[in-house]
Structure formats: C-alpha cells, structure tokens
Amino acid sequence: MLNFKFLLLLLIFVYPLANSSQYSDPIKKLINRLDAQRPSSTVQESAARGVLQRLLPSHSPSFQFKIVSKDACGGHSCFRIENYNKSGRHEAEIVIKGTTAVEIASGLYWYLKYSCGAHISWDKTGGVQISSVPEPGLLPSVKDEGVIIQRPVPWNYYQNVVTSSYSFVWWDWERWEKEIDWMALQGINLPLAFTGQEAIWQKVFMDFNISKQDLNDFFGGPAFLAWARMGNLHGWGGPLSQTWLDQQLSLQKQILSRMLEMGMTPVLPSFSGNVPAALQKIFPGANITRLGNWNTVDGDPRWCCTFLLDPSDPLFVEIGEAFIKQQIKEYGDVTDIYNCDTFNENSPPTDDPAYISLLGAAVYKAMIKGDKNAVWLMQGWLFYSDSAFWKPPQMKALLHSVPFGKMIVLDLFADVKPIWKTSSQFYGTPYVWCMLHNFGGNIEMYGILDSISSGPVDARTSENSTMVGVGLCMEGIEQNPVVYELMSEMAFRSEKVKPVEWLKSYSRRRYGEAIHHIEAAWEILYHTIYNCTDGIADHNTDFVVKFPDWDPSLNSTSSIPREYKKQKLLELLSNQRHFLLETPSSLPQAHLWYPTGEVIHALRLFLNARKHLAGSLTYRYDLVDLTRQALSKLANKVYLEAVTAYREKDEKDLRSHSWKFLHLIKDIDELLAADDNFLLGTWLDSARRSASSPREMRQYEWNARTQVTMWYDNTKTTQSKLHDYANKFWSGLLEDYYLPRASTYFKHLLKSLRENEDFSLEEWRKEWITYSNEWQLDTKLYPVKARGDALAVANRLYRKYFS
C-alpha cells in the first residue's frame, strides 16, 4: 500500500478558521434557519452510513459517524477525522464527525483519499479505485490531534438548469442514488432539484382552467424539457404522457427525501413567467407577450415563440404563489431557496432601471407569497451573455430589487469570465463562484486548473467579498473527472492549491499506485489540455463531430461556415450565447489551445504504463479518452489538408486525405467501442427503458437520437441551428452518423473535381439532412457492452498514426 501519510500532513493540515463576521445578518439568519430544518442526528448518521455501505460494505464496522454541532467547529460547517480508541480488532478504527451527513461523507472521502490513496469518480469516467484501501483492522491512523477541516464558504452548489436534459433525463432511482452518494462525498450541499416539476405545473395550470391537451403543446419532450421550462420552445419532442409525469413526480420525492436525509438544501424551481398559449384566451386582459424566435429555422409556430406573462401583471404573483404552495403540498417544507431566471436570454422591454426594479420585486413577491422565507437564486449568465443590455444601472436595479440577503447570484462562468470582478461583487449581492466548463455534454478533454485552484480563493479573500459558495454548473456531467475532483475540493480549501503537486497525488490515487510515466504525463496535460487560457468557451468544434457546413470553393460566397468566420460570434445554446472565435485563415478552425505534439508525448507515456495498469478501469478510461483526443485533433488537420487539396484542384491528394479522415473516424469508433463508457447504445437503451409503451419507446428514442445530432428543427436544405450542439464521441454515433455525413461530403467534392463542375452544397445538404432525419427515426439496436481490447487498440492506433 502507498504511504499517504506525508500527503496528509502536506495537504490537510488544520485550515485557518473562517471569519464568522464575514457574512451579513440576512445570510446568517438563512443559514441558521436551514440548519434548524435539518433532520435529526440519527437520520443523518444513518444516511451517511448508507453511503459507506454502498461504497465499502466490508469496512462499515471500521468507521464511526457522529453529527456534531457547529460549536464543535468554531461556529461553522466542518468535518473532523479522529482515531477511535479501540480495545479489539473488530471495533471501529476511525471516527468521522460532521455538522451534517454531507460533511461526514466528505470527511470519509477525504480520509480515503489522503490516508488510503483511494479515488471516486462517476462510473462513466472510470468509477472508483479502492483497491488501495487496507483491509478492516489495518486502516492507517491520523495524526494524534486528528484533522479538522472547515468550509471556507457555506455552500457547494451543483447543476446547471440544462443538466437535467443533457445528463439526467433517463435516470431511474438506482442511478440517482449513486449520484446523490457522489454529491455527498464531494461535499455538495446545495443541489438543484428540478425533476418532476411538470406534474406540479399540470396541477397548478389545471386550477387556472388550462386543459391537459393545452399542456401537451406546452411541455417539451423528455430530452428537451430544460428548454421548455425556460420558455425557449414548446411541444418539441412531446407530448408527455401521464405515466411519465407521475413517474417523474414519484422519482422527485425519492430524490428530495435522500437529499434531505443527507442534510442537503435542495433548490426548487419557481415561476419565471413562462405560460401556455391557452392562458391568453382564459385571461384576455393579462399582460402576456409572445416571445421571438429561438433557434428554429423558419419560425414554425408548432414549437416556436413561447408566451411570457409579465411579472408586473397581478396574475404573475397569483400563479407563482400557487406553484410554490403546490410544491410544498407535495414535498413538504423542504427548502427556502428557489431558482428563477425570468430575464435569462429574455431582456426586459425597456432598460429603465425603475421598471427593472419593479419587475424584480414582482418576481420576488410571487416567491414570498408562497414561502415567506423564500430566497431567490438566480443564474448570473445574463450579465455576461447580454452585457450590452445589463450595464451597471440595470444590474443594480435588478440585484437591489429585493431585500438584501434575499437573492443569491450564481457567477456561472467565473472559471473563464468572472462577473464579480467587474461588478463590485455584484454590487453587494451574495454570490456563488461557479465553474461552467462544459457545454452540451460534449466529450472533450479540457479545463483550466489554474483558475479552479486559485479563483475561488481570490474571490473569497478579495476586498468586500460577498462570496458565499462555490459551484459546479456544467451543462453535462461524466467527463473530465480531474476537473470536477479539484473543483469539488475547493469547497473545503481556504488556501490556493498547487496544481502540479496536487496532480501527483491525484494520479496516484486514481490508479492506485505511483508510476513515473503517468506522473510525467499528467504534468504535460496540466500545461496543455488543462491550461486553456484563450477565453473561449470549449464547445467542441472538432470536425469529426461538428462537420463544417460550407462550400470550400475559393470563389464561393459560403466559403467559411458561419461558426468559423473570423470575428464571428460563436452561437452556443441560443442566439444570445456568444463567444468570440478567432479564425486566423480562410479555412475553418476547430478550437485548439495547446501544442498537439506535447499531448501525443503524454499519450506515449500513458501507453508505457499499460502493463502495470492493465486491470485499472480508471486508467483504461483515461487512456481511451486521451487517445481519442489526440486522434480527433489529428483529424482536424487532415480535414484541412483535404479541403486545401480541393481548392488546389488536386484530386489525388483530396482522395488521399479524405480517405484518411474517414478511416480516422472508423478507427476512433473502434477505440470507443472497446470501453463501456463511450457507447451510443447505453444512451438509447436508457431512453427505451424509460418508456411504458411501444409508442413511448419510439418517441423517447427519437428524443435521445435527436438531442445528440440535429437537436432542433430543419428543412430539406437547412440544417438545425443547433445541430451538433450536443455532439458526442460515442461508438455507434461515429460509425453510423458522423462517418456517412463526412463520406457524402467528400463524395460530392470529388465529383466536383472529376467532372469539373461547381460543388453543390445544396445537394449535399439535401442528402445528409435526409439521412439525418431517417437516422433520428431509426430504431437500430447498438451494443451496450464493450467489445475489443481498449489497451491494444489504443497502442495500435498510436503506432499507426503517431510513431
């Protein structure tokens, strides 16, 4: 077993106590009120023991758990790790005390990490490495005085409002239980809880004389619920059956029950103004506005242009109150914190600060009419994405429209574009420093470890700081485990982390032993893949999964695809989510922020360790992911060589480079097929298993296929504006979707040269869009278990392309 005691002394010496006077009285009162609502010590200790039993059942007798008051932690949330004074071999060895069950679980993982060299990540990113944990009776002791670690800020927030669609949509209780265990071990105590809200809305709106048929047009399909909830679309992918609504409500009750047992504070939804079209007829005098087009290709009213009830209308408060009260009726009084994003990607009709203040006050009034202690949790994305509207006067008007301490802002993109720095700490409003990191659930190795390891500390210790938490706000989970491990740890770090030292510890824990080649590889990855400093949000634009839609002819007016044009704003989820994308040439450029040669060297180092780590699932996942990354970046280069050959009218080179590009797709698919975590089949199978009838099965599979490909509507010659937004490197998707698309494109390019005629972009679009729509409707079964030897395939592909 590795000796991790030196790491214990190095990394988890008793942290400086947080300053008890740093939080305002309203925030202190909120914290105290939430603390008073938590379940009994017995319930929480039992919940924490359940986490241990599911993780390490053989070691359940080795640990004693105890809930302690904050007085035992200097008035703050903390966990304590102590040795148990035992007299026999079969008694407890380690005592973990915490102010909630989440703190106990966090203390358990901290001990397993830094005393036993263990590692826990999502199952789809390699799972757990617990082989390094000694047998019961032989667990290492901590230093005599024990270890005490406080939270430097009260909250560790989790989820983006779209994570429920990109990652959670097909989950059952078994998968949710694993996720809540993971959340507890990572210290998350403020999770979003959005499941099942459509059933609540059904009951509320029916009380306002809205029929079930009207709601069929209001709700989106399962894979698109997040955007229906935000008022971006309606009806797309639907309708929802009563069975779905009832099952999701039942699941939400299980989720909330476990979160509460763990001592977490769930964040529930509230009313943002999004209403069914039928409400206009029932309340003709209400101030209801039809919103503009959100990313449809031609404004199709079947799913375009939703309806917004103005917050200044008295009906807004009435519906908002009814919704919160209905949640309390269903779930009990489980929280005081509610999410609402009325103005996210939906600017008020005027920039008059007085009007904005009235709107904000109305939104808050709807909350407190339903829950007198309500606190408004708002995503701060609008202050970045629509900064032209939200100038200081408008920001202040909204942020100060509610009593101080009754609003908490998520600084959603703080890992790249922190708003707290440019807004005087959100003008005194409490906020959570968040890492956004992922868009659309894309699979790409990417991160900014320097920002994560220092940003939260800089924000918390800055002058007049109003920071009250850290948060994980990714759009999709189950990727880049190193990023989420470090970010979660920052919830318990009051000082900056040195990434190089931390990564050495991380690699030893993740694989269960120290291997020089691996440690050297991770240092390279830290300086390359995980050191993106260009300020571009990493929405994967690799050509394999986001194939350029353009005419590469030199004299073509469509020479550069819209998303690749120089100084063109890259559209992300909506027409207001923009980032500047520099394009240094007349060719499309996929996002690349590091020298690929260095990453290929890191891959070689990883491969050198394959004999030592052949049985490690965490190593296999990382090796497959790193090989995929290297091959995908190579494919970008090969694609550009192919279109350059076309421009130079070199048919031989075009044929050669396009052949290589297509074979790269095939080879990547073979690689991904050898690991259970990169399979299209598991995504589609989970969708089908969520259905209660053959009709639902076909509907849900269409939802699942459409989300990861075309996403939204299209015409025969115009692809969806959101096509490939949620692209995935999954075996099956590459072979049966990305490969035919690219093959068809190159076929048309070759025909153009061979017959000396213009490239017909429209004909190619017709062909591949037709193919896409047929594929979306298909029901072909894909493997749900890996086939092949991932290590052997990775080594062979390295030799084929890089040696």
Side-chain angles (χ1 to χ4, degrees):
M1 185 197 75
L2 290 174
N3 183 357
F4 278 82
K5 291 184 179 179
F6 79 97
L7 288 171
L8 186 68
L9 294 172
L10 175 66
L11 295 171
I12 43 179
F13 211 77
V14 177
Y15 283 176
L17 300 183
N19 182 355
S20 61
S21 63
Q22 65 180 303
Y23 305 120
S24 64
D25 285 340
I27 292 297
K28 290 179 184 176
K29 290 178 181 178
L30 171 62
I31 293 170
N32 291 338
R33 188 168 63 249
L34 295 174
D35 285 345
Q37 294 174 347
R38 300 197 199 286
S40 67
S41 297
T42 302
V43 169
Q44 292 191 67
E45 289 166 4
S46 176
R49 186 154 295 282
V51 175
L52 172 60
Q53 181 66 29
R54 288 183 289 275
L55 177 67
L56 270 174
S58 59
H59 288 66
S60 187
S62 300
F63 292 90
Q64 184 182 90
F65 294 157
K66 183 174 179 58
I67 294 289
V68 295
S69 71
K70 287 185 176 180
D71 292 339
C73 300
H76 297 271
S77 298
C78 84
F79 59 78
R80 305 176 67 107
I81 307 171
E82 301 170 355
N83 299 317
Y84 183 80
N85 296 322
K86 62 178 183 175
S87 57
R89 176 178 173 83
H90 299 292
E91 294 184 79
E93 301 169 75
I94 297 295
V95 180
I96 301 178
K97 301 175 181 178
T99 46
T100 71
V102 169
E103 270 69 33
I104 290 176
S106 302
L108 170 65
Y109 186 32
W110 202 279
Y111 172 80
L112 293 175
K113 279 200 289 190
Y114 291 119
S115 289
C116 303
H119 172 76
I120 300 167
S121 67
W122 291 297
D123 284 353
K124 287 186 71 67
T125 57
V128 301
Q129 186 291 110
I130 52 177
S131 61
S132 60
V133 179
E135 294 180 3
L138 300 175
L139 292 179
S141 300
V142 296
K143 55 185 182 291
D144 291 341
E145 63 272 27
V147 174
I148 176 172
I149 296 183
Q150 290 185 336
R151 288 187 187 270
V153 284
W155 289 300
N156 188 2
Y157 174 81
Y158 185 52
Q159 292 182 42
N160 188 295
V161 293
V162 302
T163 319
S164 57
S165 289
Y166 283 132
S167 294
F168 306 156
V169 54
W170 311 119
W171 285 8
D172 56 13
W173 169 241
E174 181 181 1
R175 180 61 187 86
W176 262 110
E177 183 173 54
K178 285 186 176 182
E179 189 69 9
I180 297 172
D181 284 356
W182 179 89
M183 288 159 53
L185 292 162
Q186 304 293 342
I188 291 161
N189 61 2
L190 190 66
L192 207 60
F194 267 26
T195 301
Q197 62 178 281
E198 282 69 32
I200 303 292
W201 278 121
Q202 183 187 59
K203 295 178 181 182
V204 170
F205 280 130
M206 288 180 69
D207 285 342
F208 286 85
N209 296 319
I210 302 292
S211 70
K212 289 185 178 182
Q213 187 61 39
D214 293 329
L215 292 174
N216 284 344
D217 180 60
F218 180 61
F219 299 138
F224 304 98
L225 283 177
W227 300 275
R229 292 165 180 170
M230 289 189 286
N232 299 135
L233 54 81
H234 65 94
W236 182 251
L240 298 177
S241 70
Q242 192 62 47
T243 301
W244 169 274
L245 295 172
D246 295 342
Q247 287 177 343
Q248 291 295 296
L249 182 60
S250 176
L251 179 59
Q252 169 77 334
K253 291 178 179 180
Q254 288 180 285
I255 292 167
L256 289 174
S257 178
R258 181 59 56 81
M259 287 178 173
L260 294 172
E261 290 169 2
M262 293 301 307
M264 298 175 182
T265 298
V267 178
L268 291 178
S270 62
F271 182 48
S272 65
N274 182 31
V275 295
L279 198 72
Q280 268 192 324
K281 297 177 182 178
I282 299 170
F283 296 93
N287 186 0
I288 297 175
T289 303
R290 188 157 201 184
L291 300 178
N293 183 14
W294 184 87
N295 284 316
T296 66
V297 293
D298 56 5
D300 192 321
R302 288 177 294 172
W303 33 78
C304 167
C305 311
T306 58
F307 293 86
L308 183 72
L309 175 62
D310 194 286
S312 64
D313 192 294
L315 187 59
F316 186 101
V317 174
E318 193 176 343
I319 294 175
E321 176 186 1
F323 180 67
I324 287 182
K325 285 186 174 179
Q326 186 64 41
Q327 288 187 111
I328 293 173
K329 180 180 178 181
E330 292 284 348
Y331 310 139
D333 188 7
V334 300
T335 189
D336 288 332
I337 302 182
Y338 299 89
N339 168 261
C340 183
D341 294 307
T342 294
F343 310 112
N344 192 43
E345 302 183 2
N346 174 34
S347 299
T350 173
D351 63 0
D352 178 13
Y355 179 78
I356 292 172
S357 182
L358 289 173
L359 292 184
V363 172
Y364 175 65
K365 183 179 179 181
M367 291 184 189
I368 60 170
K369 289 277 283 185
D371 180 347
K372 65 180 181 180
N373 296 315
V375 174
W376 180 358
L377 182 79
M378 181 181 71
Q379 292 190 147
W381 178 260
L382 70 169
F383 301 133
Y384 173 70
S385 67
D386 198 9
S387 58
F389 179 91
W390 294 101
K391 300 291 177 59
Q394 290 74 32
M395 285 186 67
K396 290 178 184 178
L398 179 57
L399 295 172
H400 295 169
S401 65
V402 304
F404 183 80
K406 292 296 185 176
M407 177 185 284
I408 299 173
V409 181
L410 301 177
D411 197 354
L412 205 72
F413 202 24
D415 51 326
V416 177
K417 301 289 184 182
I419 300 298
W420 70 266
K421 288 185 176 181
T422 57
S423 64
S424 301
Q425 308 275 350
F426 287 94
Y427 303 108
T429 303
Y431 73 93
V432 176
W433 193 102
C434 294
M435 178 189 77
L436 181 49
H437 183 260
N438 177 270
F439 292 88
N442 295 163
I443 297 172
E444 172 157 55
M445 294 179 72
Y446 158 84
I448 318 173
L449 296 187
D450 282 344
S451 173
I452 296 168
S453 63
S454 62
V457 178
D458 287 338
R460 181 179 55 81
T461 58
S462 61
E463 186 177 2
N464 299 319
S465 176
T466 56
M467 176 181 163
V468 294
V470 296
L472 301 172
C473 294
M474 65 284 119
E475 289 192 351
I477 63 169
E478 298 176 326
Q479 34 75 31
N480 289 288
V482 64
V483 173
Y484 294 89
E485 178 86 359
L486 179 56
M487 186 63 220
S488 296
E489 218 171 272
M490 296 309 295
F492 295 101
R493 296 269 186 187
S494 51
E495 296 180 356
K496 296 180 181 180
V497 172
K498 295 179 179 179
V500 172
E501 295 178 13
W502 185 88
L503 282 169
K504 283 186 178 181
S505 164
Y506 172 83
S507 68
R508 296 175 188 182
R509 292 185 282 106
R510 183 152 170 83
Y511 312 121
E513 56 182 300
I515 297 177
H516 173 71
H517 290 303
I518 294 291
E519 292 181 3
W522 270 107
E523 184 161 357
I524 292 172
L525 297 180
Y526 161 61
H527 290 292
T528 53
I529 285 176
Y530 292 110
N531 187 36
C532 183
T533 58
D534 59 16
I536 297 175
D538 190 60
H539 186 231
N540 193 346
T541 55
D542 283 353
F543 300 144
V544 168
V545 293
K546 191 171 178 64
F547 198 76
D549 174 48
W550 72 311
D551 181 352
S553 304
L554 289 170
N555 60 349
S556 170
T557 57
S558 64
S559 288
I560 300 294
R562 177 189 48 161
E563 61 264 37
Y564 298 110
K565 287 183 179 178
K566 187 174 183 179
Q567 302 299 318
K568 182 70 175 177
L569 293 175
L570 176 61
E571 292 192 357
L572 291 179
L573 180 56
S574 79
N575 54 9
Q576 292 186 12
R577 296 194 179 186
H578 298 313
F579 299 89
L580 198 61
L581 181 65
E582 299 287 348
T583 305
S585 73
S586 61
L587 295 174
Q589 298 293 316
H591 187 202
L592 183 64
W593 62 97
Y594 59 84
T596 55
E598 294 184 26
V599 171
I600 291 169
H601 178 53
L603 174 57
R604 177 70 264 168
L605 292 171
F606 252 86
L607 284 165
N608 288 343
R610 67 186 184 281
K611 292 183 179 179
H612 295 285
L613 297 175
S616 167
L617 295 179
T618 48
Y619 168 77
R620 186 179 71 180
Y621 172 87
D622 289 347
L623 176 62
V624 169
D625 204 22
L626 183 56
T627 307
R628 174 211 55 75
Q629 179 95 356
L631 292 171
S632 181
K633 300 308 177 187
L634 173 62
N636 293 340
K637 176 176 177 290
V638 173
Y639 169 85
L640 294 177
E641 290 170 341
V643 295
T644 299
Y646 172 79
R647 286 183 159 192
E648 295 173 351
K649 300 186 183 302
D650 189 331
E651 182 180 347
K652 180 181 177 182
D653 275 3
L654 172 58
R655 193 177 299 277
S656 172
H657 294 311
S658 61
W659 183 91
K660 185 175 181 180
F661 184 85
L662 298 176
H663 276 75
L664 273 163
I665 297 178
K666 292 180 179 180
D667 284 339
I668 297 172
D669 190 274
E670 181 188 2
L671 171 72
L672 301 178
D675 191 296
D676 288 336
N677 304 303
F678 296 93
L679 304 179
L680 170 65
T682 54
W683 170 251
L684 299 183
D685 181 64
S686 63
R688 286 190 294 267
R689 286 188 289 105
S690 299
S692 60
S693 69
R695 185 198 63 79
E696 276 192 350
M697 190 176 296
R698 291 190 297 273
Q699 177 192 1
Y700 293 176
E701 182 163 0
W702 182 91
N703 269 251
R705 286 170 175 257
T706 297
Q707 188 203 84
V708 299
T709 54
M710 193 62 78
W711 206 108
Y712 210 8
D713 66 338
N714 59 264
T715 66
K716 290 182 179 180
T717 57
T718 305
Q719 64 189 335
S720 162
K721 292 181 179 180
L722 296 175
H723 76 95
D724 298 322
Y725 181 87
N727 64 67
K728 301 291 189 295
F729 273 97
W730 284 341
S731 174
L733 193 58
L734 270 76
E735 181 78 25
D736 280 3
Y737 189 84
Y738 299 138
L739 179 62
R741 177 171 62 181
S743 178
T744 303
Y745 184 81
F746 288 126
K747 179 188 71 176
H748 281 274
L749 286 185
L750 285 164
K751 180 176 181 290
S752 169
L753 287 189
R754 189 170 56 250
E755 300 182 7
N756 194 27
E757 61 184 22
D758 292 340
F759 170 68
S760 179
L761 180 62
E762 184 166 307
E763 286 303 312
W764 171 69
R765 285 174 174 168
K766 284 182 182 179
E767 193 170 341
W768 91 257
I769 291 174
T770 298
Y771 178 86
S772 175
N773 293 160
E774 291 173 351
W775 188 89
Q776 291 164 248
L777 287 167
D778 199 2
T779 57
K780 174 183 175 180
L781 296 177
Y782 289 88
V784 295
K785 293 293 183 182
R787 59 187 189 278
D789 183 338
L791 275 60
V793 174
N795 190 52
R796 174 169 56 80
L797 294 181
Y798 176 88
R799 294 199 313 271
K800 178 177 179 178
Y801 290 105
F802 301 123
S803 64

